[in-house]
Amino acid sequence: MKCTLTVSSKRRILCVFPAYTPSFGTFSHAYPLMGGVKAFMPPQGLLVISAYMPEAWEYRFIDENIRAATPEEFGWADAVFVSGMHIQEGQIHDICRRAHAAGKVAVLGGPSVSGAPEKYPDFDYLHCGEIGDATDRLIEILDESCARPTAQVVLETKDRLGLSDFPAPAYDAVPLKRYLIGSLQFSSGCPYRCEFCDIPQLYGRQPRLKTPEQLCAELDAIVAQPGHPAVVYFVDDNFIGNRKATRDMLPVLVEWQKKNNYPLQFACEATLNMAKQPEILELMRQANFMTVFVGIETPEAEALKGIDKTHNAAVPMYEAIETLNSYGLEVTSGIILGLDSDTDKSEQNLIDFIDRSAIPVLTINLLQALPKTPLWDRLEREGRLVHDASLESNVLFKRPHDTVVASWRRAIAHAYEPDKIFERFKHQCETTYPHRIKTPAAGKVTFTNLRRGLILGFNIITRVGLFSDYRKPFWNAAGYALKRGQIEAVFNMGFVAHHLIRFTREALRGEHNASFYAAKAAETEAARERGFWANARRRFVPEREAA
C-alpha cells in the first residue's frame, strides 16, 4: 500500500543508494564476466520507501553501484532520500554533501542511521527505524516545506507498518538486468540474540511476515522485467525465524515455480539448525533453492557459547552441512576471527574446517563491534572499543592485533588458493548438485538467458580457462563437472572462484581491510581491465618479444 495521507503539494524525491566498497561477498570481480552486470543486488529498503511515497509525488531511484547520480538529478529533486549500512558511511556522507551543494534537503534512513544516528550530524532529517509513523510524519513535514531546517530533525518510528501492508518494492524503478542477483523479502526479525548481531535490536526478535500472495506478486513483477536476474535472494534476517510461516509459504512458492516453468533459482540466509527441519528442506529443494548462507562463525563448539550462538550446535556441525548438501543446498559460510575465545590453535582449527567441510565460499572477517549489539555494550563496559582508523577493527582483541590479522591473512590465503577452492567445488559436484531437482527448460531458454550464457561462457573460457594462472585447477574441476553433465556448475565455479581468488590476492596486497565494516578504497574497474589485458598479452606473447 502507498501512503494514505492527503498531501497538498507535489514533490520530487530523488532516492540515492550509496555504492558499496568491494568485498568477498559482493562478487565485484565477477561482473565483467557477466556482460552488463554492474551491481550485486537491488536495495530492498529504499525501493520500498520509494513505492510508499504519495501518489501525487514523483520519485527517481539511483543506485550508485550502477552509476552516480548526476548534478542534473540533484537539481530536479525537492528532497534527497538516502539509505545504507555502516560499511557505506563514507559514501552516505558524500551524497549528503552533493545534495546540500545543490541546495536540497537531505534525508537519511536505513540500518546504519537507525543503529548509530550520532554518525550523521550533517543530514537535515534522520529517519530511525522501519517504515511507519515516522515515515508519515516525514511526508507531512516535506509536504509543508522542503526548505532545510535550522537544526537536524530526528524522527523515530514507534508504530511500524506491518509487513503485510508493505507496498511492493519499486522494482520498475531499477534496471534489474544490471544486478547479479535479485532480492525479495518474506519476513523481518530473528528470534536469536547472537552477541555481535544488531538484527534483534533493529527489527525485533518476533519475525513479522508478508503473505505468500504478496510474495508471488513481487515475483511476478521481477520476472516481468526483461533480463531479470536468474537468482533471487531472500533477504530475510533468518529464513526459518518463524518455521511454521516458512513451512506454510513454501508450497505456494513451489506452485508459483511450476506455474511459471521455474524461471528462478533461490538463495537465503538461515541458522544452521535448519538441518533439523527435513520438511522445510524438501520444500526448499522443490522450490529450487540452491544456496543458503549460514553464519557458522567458528568451528569451535565451545566458542559458540561465548557469542550466544549455541543453536549452531543443535546438530553436529559437519553432519548439519552434509544434511543441507543432501537437499541440493550449497552452503556459504560467515566466519569470524578475533573472538575472545580464540587461541593459538584457532587458525589451524579454521583451516581444518575449511578443508573438511568443503564449503566453497566463506566470508572470513575480523570481529567488529556494531552499535546496538550486546557485544558493543560489553566491550564498552570493558573499555575495549577502539576508534583508530589505522587498525583493522574497532575491537581490542584479547590476542595481539597483528597476530589476529596475520591469522586472517593466512586463513584467506589457504581458503582461496586456487587448487583448494576448485577441489571444494568438485566436492559439491559429487555431494550437492546431484540432489537438485530437474527443472523444465521452457523457463530458462529465453533469448536473454542464451545471450547471457554465451557471454559468460566466452569470458570464463578466456579469462579463467586461458589467461589466468589458475586455469589448470579450473579445467580439472570443470572436466569433473562436465563428466557428470553439470554444465551450470562450470559457469558457477568459474565466476565465483575468479572473484574470490582475485579479491583475496588484492586483500593480501593490503588493498582491502580484514573487516567488511572497515574497508579501504579499491582500485577502479578500469584499472582492473587494463591489468587483465596486460596479463593476457604477457601470456600469449613470447617472453623475448615482450621484452
Side-chain angles (χ1 to χ4, degrees):
M1 60 177 279
K2 280 189 168 290
C3 174
T4 57
L5 295 175
T6 300
V7 293
S8 57
S9 305
K10 289 191 175 182
R11 300 300 187 200
R12 293 181 293 196
I13 307 298
L14 181 65
C15 297
V16 186
F17 189 70
Y20 283 112
T21 301
S23 74
F24 276 108
T26 54
F27 293 96
S28 55
H29 284 298
Y31 302 161
L33 306 182
M34 301 290 288
V37 169
K38 297 292 184 182
F40 182 58
M41 182 169 58
Q44 277 275 313
L46 202 50
L47 287 175
V48 171
I49 288 291
S50 299
Y52 187 73
M53 290 297 100
E55 196 74 50
W57 290 15
E58 293 181 66
Y59 68 85
R60 293 181 183 176
F61 188 95
I62 306 296
D63 184 347
E64 295 208 316
N65 293 284
I66 296 177
R67 69 168 181 85
T70 65
E72 291 75 19
E73 285 164 329
F74 280 105
W76 167 87
D78 293 313
V80 177
F81 283 17
V82 189
S83 176
M85 299 190 291
H86 297 313
I87 184 63
Q88 297 163 295
E89 181 184 347
Q91 296 91 321
I92 290 171
H93 286 298
D94 181 62
I95 296 169
C96 181
R97 178 191 58 77
R98 285 182 279 154
H100 286 165
K104 308 301 178 179
V105 64
V107 181
L108 176 62
S112 185
V113 69
S114 298
E118 67 279 2
K119 288 176 177 278
Y120 302 102
D122 45 344
F123 275 82
D124 301 300
Y125 293 96
L126 300 185
H127 180 294
C128 299
E130 292 182 89
I131 188 170
D133 56 349
T135 318
D136 289 346
R137 179 58 187 144
L138 175 64
I139 290 170
E140 289 175 339
I141 293 171
L142 295 179
D143 184 48
E144 183 176 330
S145 172
C146 278
R148 293 184 59 191
T150 56
Q152 185 181 77
V153 177
V154 179
L155 304 169
E156 186 173 355
T157 298
K158 303 296 184 185
D159 184 14
R160 294 184 291 206
L161 189 70
L163 257 68
S164 60
D165 292 323
F166 268 36
Y171 292 121
D172 58 342
V174 291
L176 292 180
K177 65 183 179 181
R178 298 301 181 206
Y179 290 95
L180 181 65
I181 61 177
S183 60
L184 191 71
Q185 183 180 28
F186 173 59
S187 70
S188 179
C190 179
Y192 298 108
R193 189 73 166 138
C194 304
E195 188 187 40
F196 53 84
C197 182
D198 59 0
I199 292 299
Q201 181 66 26
L202 292 177
Y203 306 118
R205 297 187 64 185
Q206 181 63 45
R208 291 161 293 120
L209 309 162
K210 290 181 181 176
T211 67
E213 291 71 27
Q214 279 177 284
L215 210 62
C216 291
E218 292 181 23
L219 288 170
D220 288 338
I222 291 172
V223 299
Q225 192 171 139
H228 63 81
V231 179
V232 169
Y233 194 98
F234 277 76
V235 298
D236 300 27
D237 305 311
N238 183 350
F239 188 67
I240 60 165
N242 183 322
R243 295 171 191 168
K244 181 182 185 304
T246 303
R247 195 162 44 242
D248 292 344
M249 176 273 292
L250 282 168
V252 178
L253 189 60
V254 172
E255 287 306 308
W256 184 91
Q257 287 274 54
K258 290 179 178 178
K259 176 184 174 182
N260 292 279
N261 287 316
Y262 284 84
L264 297 172
Q265 298 174 353
F266 294 118
C268 68
E269 52 192 75
T271 40
L272 192 58
N273 58 358
M274 74 185 307
K276 296 176 64 178
Q277 304 296 319
E279 184 181 356
I280 288 177
L281 292 175
E282 178 56 28
L283 286 168
M284 290 174 69
R285 193 178 83 87
Q286 294 298 326
N288 213 26
F289 276 79
M290 299 289 188
T291 306
V292 56
F293 178 92
V294 177
I296 287 176
E297 320 310 357
T298 172
E300 299 176 341
E302 282 300 309
L304 295 173
K305 296 178 182 177
I307 56 175
D308 289 335
K309 197 142 189 175
T310 52
H311 47 274
N312 265 10
V315 177
M317 196 166 288
Y318 294 109
E319 180 184 323
I321 294 167
E322 290 172 4
T323 297
L324 298 179
N325 292 163
S326 72
Y327 286 91
L329 290 168
E330 183 175 290
V331 175
T332 296
S333 172
I335 297 292
I336 300 173
L337 282 171
L339 299 173
D340 285 359
S341 56
D342 283 0
T343 67
D344 291 342
K345 297 180 180 179
S346 295
E347 177 189 326
Q348 188 58 51
N349 290 340
L350 173 57
I351 287 171
D352 292 343
F353 170 78
I354 292 168
D355 293 341
R356 182 178 169 187
S357 70
I359 293 174
V361 181
L362 307 101
T363 57
I364 306 171
N365 284 299
L366 293 190
L367 181 67
Q368 185 87 0
L370 301 179
K372 294 195 174 181
T373 62
L375 176 65
W376 177 283
D377 295 340
R378 177 171 67 81
L379 296 181
E380 190 171 46
R381 290 193 304 270
E382 296 174 6
R384 293 175 56 206
L385 286 177
V386 293
H387 304 285
D388 184 343
S390 68
L391 298 178
E392 302 278 356
S393 170
N394 65 352
V395 175
L396 182 61
F397 303 122
K398 289 201 168 181
R399 303 175 74 220
H401 177 271
D402 290 348
T403 300
V404 177
V405 174
S407 287
W408 173 78
R409 292 171 64 83
R410 287 190 293 268
I412 64 169
H414 179 90
Y416 297 120
E417 195 277 321
D419 284 324
K420 295 191 184 303
I421 185 172
F422 283 113
E423 277 300 314
R424 299 201 301 275
F425 271 117
K426 284 174 63 176
H427 179 85
Q428 299 301 307
C429 291
E430 181 180 347
T431 63
T432 303
Y433 306 152
H435 300 295
R436 293 173 174 172
I437 62 170
K438 299 286 189 286
T439 58
K444 293 176 285 189
V445 181
T446 65
F447 174 79
T448 298
N449 284 346
L450 288 173
R451 179 180 177 277
R452 185 182 288 154
L454 288 172
I455 292 171
L456 179 58
F458 173 80
N459 283 327
I460 286 176
I461 288 172
T462 54
R463 294 177 182 237
V464 181
L466 293 178
F467 298 143
S468 77
D469 59 6
Y470 39 90
R471 57 188 181 274
K472 183 175 179 180
F474 164 72
W475 283 118
N476 180 275
Y480 192 84
L482 290 171
K483 287 178 183 177
R484 288 158 176 75
Q486 298 167 351
I487 298 174
E488 191 172 334
V490 177
F491 284 61
N492 180 62
M493 69 175 69
F495 86 83
V496 171
H498 175 71
H499 164 75
L500 293 171
I501 293 168
R502 293 278 299 277
F503 189 89
T504 297
R505 290 175 176 180
E506 290 174 355
L508 293 175
R509 292 197 299 265
E511 296 174 25
H512 302 293
N513 197 283
S515 170
F516 175 71
Y517 298 95
K520 298 173 183 175
E523 67 175 316
T524 65
E525 193 60 49
R528 292 187 193 122
E529 289 296 299
R530 289 194 298 272
F532 164 73
W533 289 113
N535 287 333
R537 182 178 182 276
R538 282 196 292 271
R539 291 194 176 284
F540 267 0
V541 178
E543 286 184 10
R544 59 182 182 275
E545 181 183 336

